Amino acid sequence: MAGSTLRFSLLLAAAFAGRATALWPWPQYIQTSELRYTIFPQSFQFQYHLSSAAQVGCSVLDEAFQRYRDLLFGSVAFRFPHPIEKRHTSEKNSLVVLVVTPGCDQFPSLGSVENYTLTINDEQSLLLSETVWGALRGLETFSQLIWRSPEGTFYVNKTDIEDFPRFPHRGLLLDTSRHYLPLASILDTLDVMAYNKFNVFHWHLVDDSSFPYESFTFPELTKKGSYNPATHIYTAQDVKEVIEYARLRGIRVLAEFDTPGHTLSWGPGVPGLLTPCYSGSHPSGTFGPVNPALNNTYEFMSTFFLEISTVFPDFYLHLGGDEVDFTCWKSNPDIQAFMKKKGFGDDFKKLESFYIQTLLDIVSAYGKGYVVWQEVFDNKVKVRPDTIIQVWREEIPVKYVKELALVTRAGFRALLSAPWYLNHITYGPDWKEIYLVEPLAFEGSPEQKALVIGGEACMWGEYVDSTNLVPRLWPRAGAVAERLWSNKMVSNLDFAFKRLAHFRCELLSSPESRHTPHP
Amino acid sequence: MEQRGLGRLRLPGLLALLAGLVVQAALGTRRTQTPRLSASRDLNLWPLPLSVMTTPRLLYLSPRNDFFGHSPTSKAGPSCAVLQEAFRRYYDYIFGFYKWPLGSDNIPREMELQKLEVSVIMDPECDSFPSITSDESYTLLVKGPVATLTANRVWGVLRGLETFSQLIYQDSYGTFTANESNIVDSPRFPHRGILIDTSRHFLPVKTILKTLDAMAFNKFNVLHWHIVDDQSFPYQSISFPELSNKGSYSLSHVYTPNDVHTVIEYARLRGIRILPEFDSPGHTASWGKGQEDLLTPCYHAREPSGTFGPINPILNSTYSFLSKLFKEISTVFPDEFIHLGGDEVNFNCWKSNPAVLRFMRNKRFGKIEKLQSFYMQMVLDMISAMKKRSIVWQEVYDDEGELTPGTVVQVWKKQNFPMKLSQVTAAGFPVILSAPWYLDLISYGEDWRQYYSVKPLNFAGTPEQKQLVIGGEACIWGEYVDATNLTPRLWPRASAVGERLWSHQEVTDLDDAYRRLTRHRCRMVGRGIAAQPLFTGYCEHEGGM
């Protein structure tokens, strides 16, 4: 069904090269007409349908109504429409929202249903969805359908939309360790994510460079590991605020605490955690990855991840596991002795596996699922079958397309990021390349394809902070968003360019742009 | 021929004067061939001055309202707007961060720095516009209780104030501190520019002014304003209002005469020249909308195809239009130079047009390049008649038989640019280099290093030829740049070019540059410029962002 209706809908869009072309990402099914209805900001309301499971008091939707009101009409000096215009069109003074399944206070999850249908015609103006999360997606689409005439009158065209995401995990990674990002930058990003129907904020909180997450069990981590413990930290309150702000937009917060590599900033706050590197027979004074040979390490991790499991409500945690450098482990005599004792021989991948497996057991015991970077799979660490493997390497050890085939053939679920490292910049419209990636273009059975749960656009922070984050991220990440939401056949670059250019201008005129650091 | 000298040939004279100043400062600093540095503490200066000597002796500043003042012997006084405005700005940059005045009661008298006294030796040029020959040299003597900043003209004072502000830091108690120092400084090249493009995307005036602020922090002194191009014509002309009425993106994407005046004056107060570019005969599609018959109708199979090419060089009406337009431009923009463009002319349309071909036959122009020369020569003559001088892109030199002496050639094509510099200077023309500094061409990582490592005089030529290199420009073309990303894309990458053009040629250490530039970037962030990071790390004061 999807194929033929889609061709049909694309044709329609071309025919009415007017208003519907403002949509981003493109819905699964859309039918729209030249017939338009006037909207009067004074009288327009979002309403709950009488039989909706969500009613007034539903925080997610109450707040969303308020947000979209402000977005649509907030800065408008209300005035009556031109009398001539009024005679020709009928009026729509509400959007009625009907949510089938109750639940306004939970958190979105990987299994959340985001489907919705939007019907604007003579009889009704209805947004129907299974869950509040679907209603959020529909509200965004509705807001993109509304347009203004040069005289300032608001209109919405007769439209029929049936929409659902292609992939359930549509993420954006921000790195707050290489550079600290102020809370406002993160919240602004969540807003723009919602405009693009992203639903996962992958928060790469800590890394070698700094440890801004303020742990209440181990406050020394931030005191000694952040760039500045007075200003460059995320307090418990900050984290709560991010999680709630995201929830209200139907966005999950996937927290990453990457170990055993990428942990230099952990060292100063937890003596003995990192492996002392040796030069010859003496400690060189430098440190390597987390020390996998000590019981203390696992006691620490156990306590630390208990906190993390409580603070972050999402079922999944990201445990990292990428780019472990074995040189330091190799140099350390205690590690060598431990290897011998365990019968690992010279195979440091076995040591890495040992560490990761122990950590995974700890986290599993807390009732959490986990995502790891592809090295954990590449190095043949034994992981639980429900582990999610994030594919990030473009060429090595194999091309990412091949890696997806390997990961899914082994029966693991996969997340794709390799072609979407947005921190890598080049001259010109690189969004096109980003846009044309087809996540399922690998050799594999339909079952394997079904294991690809989505992807993530990654904005690593080596060269990015709040001065350049916004223009570097948007609208390039928008290309990823559409790839992950829309039907795979939506891939015409000219059609995308037109809509994306329009969407970018919409982003600029929304209130967030007033908060961004850029003139 | 004497015009060719420009600033470079006069520089020895300036240096002599400068030496005089130093003696006057009674410190006996001698000019050296390489920059002198003796620092007791890491210096955060950017661009690095010609000669810096500091001692471990610390001075504590008292942020009094009258911290900056005129020396009794100065030729400039409180009526000098350039200086009064600069005093206010730099007071704010140095002390303005902190809402409360920090007491100076506890400062021992012998360690106190109460005042910076500014002394202008010659006619200060308070009401003039900066020019290519403006003297930007200065000496700065930081000692207690009164520091002195001495310069021949206000332009040197502006550069010296920036340097002074970069010497001040807050110690761990929050006291404003500087090391006793003695700085002698002057630029290596007189033309240090940033090119912005307001045609591919319109840049709001606010954004341009912000750019001028950042330029002053990096001692840039020319804003090359590529104001119009194919895509849009935002310059509102008094004589031809239809050009922007019909050729701008929208009526709110226009620079009114008042906007232009604001930019020019804001720049003047910072010692920055505004160099307007009205590029022709190519890159003019947007001109055609508001000026009928200006562009060449292109032909296809003996019929006009309905599309238009470069400006039509065969009509008298073209030249009377241009004459009137450039007359206006030469009045609106006070700078001695006008940039006439002349790059990337597509000859296909001219070749297709029967009237153009007839004209060429009558004029006995064998090659189509002759027609471009003919056109450029007409415009160059117009500009000379208006007592202005011209700058052109390198193609004009390449195609031109005889170019008016004194015309400045801007070299922009990256391939083999040292050879081009060699050719153009051998022919006796002054040059501006931008080929290695197209900052709109972005790539991943620390590309500032490659901009920094450019050696502008590394080409085959005599010392006289080298002196014809009057400077360079960092160009940020606008195809993919507007107000949303201009500032972080431009800074601090352009700062690398800023130091290359200001500092001595021996200043090339990348590690030291990285260290200083990281801090300079944080300083810009603290002053409200969203300059992007060089690499991982943080700034103490990111609040402004």
Side-chain angles (χ1 to χ4, degrees):
Chain A
M1 160 214 144
S4 58
T5 52
L6 182 87
R7 278 180 195 284
F8 179 53
S9 64
L10 279 175
L11 282 173
L12 272 176
F16 303 123
R19 304 305 155 188
T21 51
L23 295 179
W24 191 275
W26 191 247
Q28 299 286 347
Y29 170 86
I30 174 169
Q31 199 163 14
T32 174
S33 106
E34 283 292 300
L35 183 65
R36 63 191 190 183
Y37 307 100
T38 314
I39 287 177
F40 300 121
Q42 306 91 312
S43 54
F44 180 85
Q45 285 181 17
F46 293 104
Q47 289 172 346
Y48 292 97
H49 193 278
L50 281 176
S51 54
S52 171
Q55 291 294 340
V56 176
C58 173
S59 56
V60 173
L61 291 185
D62 283 353
E63 300 232 2
F65 292 170
Q66 188 59 48
R67 256 189 344 262
Y68 281 105
R69 246 204 108 70
D70 290 350
L71 267 178
L72 286 170
F73 314 121
S75 54
V76 176
F78 288 172
R79 57 176 166 143
F80 291 98
H82 205 267
I84 298 168
E85 288 178 311
K86 195 176 177 180
R87 254 181 278 147
H88 284 288
T89 59
S90 50
E91 179 185 338
K92 283 287 168 206
N93 52 21
S94 67
L95 177 72
V96 178
V97 177
L98 198 166
V99 175
V100 176
T101 313
C104 292
D105 301 320
Q106 0 66 319
F107 289 91
S109 71
L110 181 58
S112 291
V113 178
E114 295 170 293
N115 303 17
Y116 67 92
T117 63
L118 188 58
T119 316
I120 315 284
N121 59 27
D122 290 353
E123 289 78 42
Q124 53 182 350
S125 169
L126 178 72
L127 170 59
L128 172 68
S129 69
E130 180 66 35
T131 66
V132 290
W133 316 120
L136 289 176
R137 304 298 166 243
L139 283 169
E140 175 57 35
T141 304
F142 177 75
S143 79
Q144 295 184 10
L145 286 174
I146 291 179
W147 55 280
R148 278 183 100 178
S149 69
E151 295 76 33
T153 315
F154 291 92
Y155 292 107
V156 65
N157 285 44
K158 180 169 187 281
T159 309
D160 232 329
I161 289 179
E162 202 180 313
D163 202 9
F164 53 88
R166 183 177 173 203
F167 294 103
H169 185 119
R170 304 180 307 281
L172 178 70
L173 176 148
L174 290 184
D175 167 4
T176 56
S177 172
R178 274 59 177 257
H179 285 99
Y180 177 81
L181 293 173
L183 201 60
S185 289
I186 295 177
L187 301 184
D188 283 353
T189 303
L190 289 168
D191 276 318
V192 189
M193 283 174 69
Y195 304 154
N196 286 275
K197 297 190 168 69
F198 274 113
N199 66 355
V200 180
F201 168 42
H202 178 164
W203 193 353
H204 187 84
L205 267 154
V206 301
D207 206 294
D208 285 332
S209 312
S210 75
F211 198 104
Y213 170 80
E214 192 172 59
S215 159
F216 50 83
T217 26
F218 300 100
E220 291 298 304
L221 279 168
T222 334
K223 262 190 205 134
K224 299 199 170 139
S226 68
Y227 279 135
N228 180 333
T231 52
H232 289 59
I233 61 168
Y234 302 105
T235 64
Q237 186 53 40
D238 292 341
V239 172
K240 245 191 237 163
E241 196 174 334
V242 168
I243 293 169
E244 179 61 8
Y245 200 89
R247 184 185 83 85
L248 290 172
R249 284 153 186 79
I251 297 172
R252 300 160 49 203
V253 177
L254 173 63
E256 178 178 354
F257 287 86
D258 191 358
T259 66
H262 289 279
T263 46
L264 283 184
S265 69
W266 303 45
V270 187
L273 181 67
L274 302 185
T275 311
C277 314
Y278 277 64
S279 139
S281 55
H282 295 284
S284 68
T286 62
F287 292 89
V290 165
N291 192 334
L294 300 180
N295 284 337
N296 287 347
T297 294
Y298 300 103
E299 279 164 28
F300 165 81
M301 291 296 170
S302 198
T303 318
F304 181 73
F305 276 101
L306 178 59
E307 170 182 333
I308 300 306
S309 306
T310 331
V311 168
F312 293 94
D314 200 78
F315 176 68
Y316 291 95
L317 286 177
H318 201 301
L319 299 177
D322 59 322
E323 300 183 307
V324 184
D325 180 6
F326 296 145
T327 342
C328 182
W329 279 350
K330 281 180 188 166
S331 75
N332 182 303
D334 299 332
I335 303 274
Q336 288 160 9
F338 183 78
M339 295 272 290
K340 200 169 285 170
K341 193 176 106 194
K342 290 278 180 185
F344 291 161
D346 288 336
D347 191 353
F348 282 84
K349 285 183 183 175
K350 286 193 174 146
L351 182 61
E352 182 188 4
S353 294
F354 172 81
Y355 169 83
I356 299 264
Q357 274 171 23
T358 316
L359 181 66
L360 296 186
D361 288 344
I362 291 170
V363 173
S364 307
Y366 297 141
K368 290 277 182 181
Y370 38 78
V371 186
V372 290
W373 296 108
Q374 72 175 78
E375 283 94 326
V376 174
F377 170 80
D378 295 343
N379 292 349
K380 305 194 170 50
V381 177
K382 203 170 161 302
V383 293
R384 267 194 349 213
D386 62 348
T387 303
I388 297 171
I389 310 290
Q390 187 161 12
V391 173
W392 70 276
R393 310 196 67 151
E394 274 201 285
E395 303 277 346
I396 296 168
V398 293
K399 290 217 158 53
Y400 74 83
V401 182
K402 175 83 180 157
E403 180 83 6
L404 283 174
L406 292 174
V407 168
T408 54
R409 192 191 304 156
F412 293 110
R413 286 173 298 168
L415 271 178
L416 180 62
S417 305
W420 292 325
Y421 267 37
L422 302 190
N423 51 313
H424 291 158
I425 50 170
T426 53
Y427 180 70
D430 58 358
W431 69 270
K432 295 185 178 181
E433 210 177 306
I434 295 167
Y435 185 74
L436 289 178
V437 169
E438 170 43 50
L440 300 187
F442 61 88
E443 277 180 50
S445 64
E447 291 73 25
Q448 274 176 267
K449 308 271 165 121
L451 287 170
V452 178
I453 59 168
E456 291 186 355
C458 299
M459 184 53 76
W460 295 99
E462 283 87 347
Y463 301 103
V464 177
D465 71 4
S466 62
T467 61
N468 57 355
L469 173 72
V470 175
R472 200 165 278 205
L473 194 51
W474 308 108
R476 294 161 77 227
V480 181
E482 176 152 302
R483 182 53 52 238
L484 293 173
W485 177 279
S486 305
N487 190 291
K488 82 180 265 200
M489 297 178 66
V490 181
S491 59
N492 181 300
L493 282 174
D494 296 333
F495 183 54
F497 177 78
K498 222 184 280 168
R499 287 179 298 117
L500 191 56
H502 179 277
F503 183 53
R504 179 188 97 98
C505 291
E506 286 295 303
L507 295 183
L508 288 179
S509 61
S510 60
E512 279 63 37
S513 65
R514 286 178 224 139
H515 301 157
T516 56
H518 306 282
Chain B
M1 286 303 278
E2 63 177 36
Q3 274 181 318
R4 279 202 278 137
L6 287 171
R8 295 298 296 161
L9 291 184
R10 293 203 206 162
L11 204 55
L14 294 183
L15 290 177
L17 251 171
L18 200 61
L21 295 183
V22 175
V23 172
Q24 208 169 20
L27 265 181
T29 316
R30 284 212 322 267
R31 276 253 316 132
T32 48
Q33 281 311 298
T34 52
R36 280 175 73 164
L37 283 176
S38 67
S40 58
R41 181 184 167 275
D42 289 345
L43 284 168
N44 298 334
L45 300 180
W46 191 278
L48 197 66
L50 195 55
S51 153
V52 181
M53 294 203 297
T54 66
T55 78
R57 213 175 120 83
L58 294 181
L59 299 168
Y60 298 115
L61 283 71
S62 22
R64 299 181 194 172
N65 293 337
D66 61 345
F67 185 84
F68 295 105
H70 301 275
S71 149
T73 58
S74 176
K75 291 265 168 56
S79 65
C80 182
V82 173
L83 294 187
Q84 293 304 112
E85 288 291 319
F87 289 172
R88 185 160 69 178
R89 274 198 316 277
Y90 281 98
Y91 184 89
D92 211 37
Y93 295 145
I94 296 172
F95 305 117
F97 240 128
Y98 304 89
K99 305 276 183 285
W100 60 92
L102 289 157
S104 53
D105 310 345
N106 304 332
I107 299 176
R109 277 205 75 78
E110 68 278 9
M111 295 177 78
E112 194 180 0
L113 177 52
Q114 297 170 345
K115 213 169 163 55
L116 175 70
E117 264 189 7
V118 169
S119 184
V120 181
I121 307 281
M122 301 167 71
D123 168 19
E125 302 180 350
C126 287
D127 302 313
S128 315
F129 288 94
S131 76
I132 182 74
T133 52
S134 288
D135 186 343
E136 295 172 290
S137 60
Y138 66 92
T139 59
L140 181 59
L141 186 58
V142 180
K143 60 172 177 52
V146 176
T148 55
L149 170 59
T150 314
N152 289 336
R153 315 281 188 185
V154 289
W155 317 119
V157 176
L158 291 175
R159 304 298 168 244
L161 284 171
E162 176 57 37
T163 304
F164 178 75
S165 75
Q166 297 186 4
L167 286 172
I168 313 302
Y169 62 97
Q170 283 197 293
D171 70 8
S172 42
Y173 300 100
T175 312
F176 297 100
T177 312
N179 285 75
E180 203 176 63
S181 3
N182 179 20
I183 292 176
V184 182
D185 200 8
S186 64
R188 182 177 174 203
F189 295 103
H191 185 111
R192 305 180 307 281
I194 297 281
L195 176 146
I196 55 167
D197 168 2
T198 56
S199 172
R200 273 61 177 255
H201 284 98
F202 180 82
L203 295 172
V205 170
K206 192 169 77 165
T207 306
I208 299 177
L209 302 186
K210 200 81 157 165
T211 304
L212 288 167
D213 280 333
M215 285 174 67
F217 304 155
N218 291 276
K219 296 190 170 71
F220 276 102
N221 66 356
V222 180
L223 179 72
H224 176 163
W225 192 354
H226 185 86
I227 194 164
V228 300
D229 206 295
D230 285 330
Q231 285 75 5
S232 76
F233 197 104
Y235 171 79
Q236 191 177 74
S237 160
I238 307 152
S239 341
F240 301 100
E242 289 302 297
L243 286 171
S244 60
N245 281 348
K246 301 212 169 118
S248 65
Y249 278 132
S250 87
L251 291 183
S252 49
H253 293 84
V254 162
Y255 302 106
T256 64
N258 191 43
D259 290 338
V260 172
H261 177 79
T262 302
V263 169
I264 293 170
E265 180 62 11
Y266 198 90
R268 184 185 85 85
L269 290 173
R270 285 152 185 79
I272 298 171
R273 299 159 50 204
I274 300 293
L275 170 63
E277 176 179 354
F278 286 80
D279 190 357
S280 73
H283 288 279
T284 48
S286 70
W287 304 37
K289 297 178 184 162
Q291 184 66 21
E292 246 172 81
D293 298 331
L294 179 65
L295 303 184
T296 312
C298 313
Y299 277 66
H300 184 74
R302 299 185 169 199
E303 294 293 324
S305 68
T307 63
F308 294 87
I311 283 181
N312 194 334
I314 68 167
L315 301 180
N316 287 335
S317 59
T318 292
Y319 299 102
S320 48
F321 161 78
L322 289 174
S323 170
K324 203 166 167 200
L325 179 67
F326 278 112
K327 188 90 219 158
E328 171 185 328
I329 290 161
S330 69
T331 330
V332 169
F333 294 92
D335 203 74
E336 183 193 358
F337 287 89
I338 296 176
H339 201 301
L340 299 177
D343 59 321
E344 300 183 309
V345 182
N346 183 344
F347 295 136
N348 291 333
C349 183
W350 280 351
K351 284 181 188 163
S352 77
N353 183 302
V356 171
L357 294 175
R358 206 174 318 124
F359 182 84
M360 290 200 34
R361 267 196 308 276
N362 292 343
K363 291 273 183 189
R364 297 181 197 285
F365 295 160
K367 294 185 306 176
I368 194 88
E369 285 81 2
K370 284 271 183 193
L371 185 59
Q372 142 104 336
S373 299
F374 170 81
Y375 171 87
M376 287 311 297
Q377 202 52 57
M378 294 285 279
V379 182
L380 286 165
D381 289 345
M382 254 177 231
I383 302 303
S384 305
M386 293 166 194
K387 301 276 177 275
K388 293 270 185 175
R389 297 181 56 193
S390 304
I391 305 180
V392 291
W393 295 107
Q394 70 180 78
E395 286 96 320
V396 178
Y397 165 82
D398 294 342
D399 295 343
E400 191 80 354
E402 315 103 65
L403 197 53
T404 313
T407 305
V408 178
V409 177
Q410 185 160 11
V411 172
W412 69 276
K413 294 190 177 178
K414 189 156 186 194
Q415 204 181 7
N416 235 333
F417 72 83
M419 172 119 83
K420 184 57 63 180
L421 291 175
S422 196
Q423 280 175 16
V424 176
T425 54
F429 294 101
V431 292
I432 294 167
L433 177 63
S434 15
W437 293 320
Y438 267 37
L439 302 193
D440 54 317
L441 304 178
I442 51 170
S443 58
Y444 182 69
E446 295 192 54
D447 53 2
W448 69 271
R449 291 173 185 266
Q450 116 208 5
Y451 306 134
Y452 189 77
S453 303
V454 170
K455 296 189 169 75
L457 300 188
N458 220 3
F459 62 87
T462 61
E464 291 72 27
Q465 275 176 267
K466 308 274 163 120
Q467 286 193 330
L468 285 168
V469 178
I470 61 172
E473 291 183 0
C475 302
I476 185 103
W477 294 99
E479 283 86 346
Y480 301 101
V481 177
D482 70 3
T484 63
N485 56 358
L486 174 76
T487 303
R489 200 165 280 202
L490 192 51
W491 309 106
R493 294 160 76 228
S495 304
V497 183
E499 175 151 302
R500 183 52 53 238
L501 294 173
W502 177 278
S503 302
H504 193 278
Q505 61 174 352
E506 305 282 327
V507 180
T508 53
D509 182 338
L510 278 170
D511 294 336
D512 184 57
Y514 175 80
R515 191 186 57 73
R516 285 183 295 114
L517 189 52
T518 304
R519 297 185 192 179
H520 182 55
R521 179 254 164 181
C522 285
R523 179 163 49 225
M524 288 196 275
V525 169
R527 292 179 186 184
I529 306 295
Q532 68 181 16
L534 291 178
F535 192 51
T536 57
Y538 72 109
C539 300
E540 284 294 344
H541 304 288
E542 291 174 343
M545 291 298 97

